[in-house]
Amino acid sequence: MSAVAAKPILYSYFRSSCSWRVRIALALKGISYDLVPVNLVKDGGQQFSAEFKALNPMKQVPALKIDGITLSQSLAIIHYLEETRPNPSLLPQDPKKRAQVRMIADHIVSGIQPLQNLGVLKQIGERKMEWAQNYISSGFQALEQILQHTAGRYCVGDEVSMADLCLVPQVANAERFKVDMGPYPTITRINKALLELEAFKVSHPCRQPDTPAELRA
């Protein structure tokens, strides 16, 4: 079987919000793949193994083997899927809306998520809950304002976009860190609408091959 024809392989951790973004994109685009779980906590973190480091020198999930190449970084992966498998599209045709989608996605993947990921929280130690709540809340305050201008049914208008793929996993993180979602009605409404869609359900952390029994739904 040629490299291009081989089934894609996704290296993922059930709880990783970055992995979840890619799982949603694969589900929306109807791309079947094999999943290789990488447990970020077990064995001191399987992402630090020599084998995985050869796949992704950043020692992070997700990584996707597809079309004979290995890609890391969730947005780079999603952009590649968008360019090679354009239907359904995750970027609007209109340049202004497209820019808004990228802005919201970047806001989450650069401005919120890295500040409360596993590696950072390990360094913070005992204050990690307070730290995570603080950075998610300040990010959500800005995001709520932005979405009041861009949202329709979803983050930008009425079509599911790359921004939505970033939003849902970040709201799940907020809930895990017990962030009060009361001040963010727009984020809450959009998140609820997205979680009703099949692609968001099948890719959910509670339904992955590596989800622990007690967290399965």
Side-chain angles (χ1 to χ4, degrees):
M1 190 189 281
S2 75
V4 175
K7 199 174 186 184
I9 300 170
L10 178 66
Y11 296 82
S12 165
Y13 177 53
F14 80 100
R15 189 175 257 166
S16 151
S17 56
C18 305
S19 299
W20 188 3
R21 295 170 197 153
V22 173
R23 295 196 302 260
I24 300 166
L26 290 163
L28 282 168
K29 289 179 178 289
I31 302 164
S32 71
Y33 61 94
D34 291 326
L35 189 136
V36 176
V38 179
N39 193 309
L40 303 186
V41 214
K42 211 167 136 193
D43 312 324
Q46 294 171 351
Q47 70 275 29
F48 300 118
S49 71
E51 185 191 4
F52 188 73
K53 200 173 151 188
L55 272 175
N56 182 7
M58 278 295 277
K59 307 183 279 283
Q60 294 171 337
V61 290
L64 182 69
K65 277 188 180 175
I66 188 165
D67 301 341
I69 60 169
T70 302
L71 292 170
S72 60
Q73 296 300 332
S74 61
L75 285 195
I77 293 170
I78 295 166
H79 277 294
Y80 178 76
L81 296 176
E82 182 67 7
E83 285 162 9
T84 57
R85 294 145 176 90
N87 293 318
S89 179
L90 297 175
L91 281 169
Q93 285 306 300
D94 175 65
K96 290 176 184 172
K97 284 189 170 175
R98 191 175 275 238
Q100 288 173 329
V101 165
R102 289 186 169 129
M103 170 179 76
I104 293 162
D106 280 347
H107 180 84
I108 295 166
V109 306
S110 307
I112 305 176
Q113 193 275 332
L115 290 160
Q116 43 94 129
N117 72 8
L118 198 60
V120 170
L121 294 181
K122 264 188 182 158
Q123 300 291 324
I124 301 299
E126 286 164 20
R127 286 182 47 243
K128 65 182 179 187
M129 193 70 143
E130 180 194 340
W131 172 279
Q133 287 174 347
N134 178 32
Y135 281 105
I136 294 170
S137 299
S138 64
F140 274 10
Q141 281 161 23
L143 190 58
E144 178 70 20
Q145 265 183 289
I146 292 166
L147 291 172
Q148 284 168 7
H149 297 287
T150 64
R153 181 160 174 76
Y154 306 122
C155 284
V156 178
D158 297 326
E159 302 298 320
V160 174
S161 72
M162 212 174 276
D164 300 298
L165 276 57
C166 298
L167 182 84
V168 167
Q170 187 54 57
V171 173
N173 282 351
E175 287 167 347
R176 209 167 94 235
F177 290 116
K178 301 182 170 45
V179 170
D180 172 19
M181 292 300 291
Y184 318 116
T186 316
I187 294 175
T188 302
R189 172 183 67 72
I190 296 167
N191 183 64
K192 189 167 179 265
L194 289 163
L195 284 173
E196 285 165 14
L197 304 176
E198 191 57 26
F200 287 79
K201 287 180 185 171
V202 296
S203 58
H204 195 283
C206 70
R207 292 176 68 175
Q208 298 313 301
D210 58 327
T211 307
E214 68 275 13
L215 297 174
R216 285 188 170 278

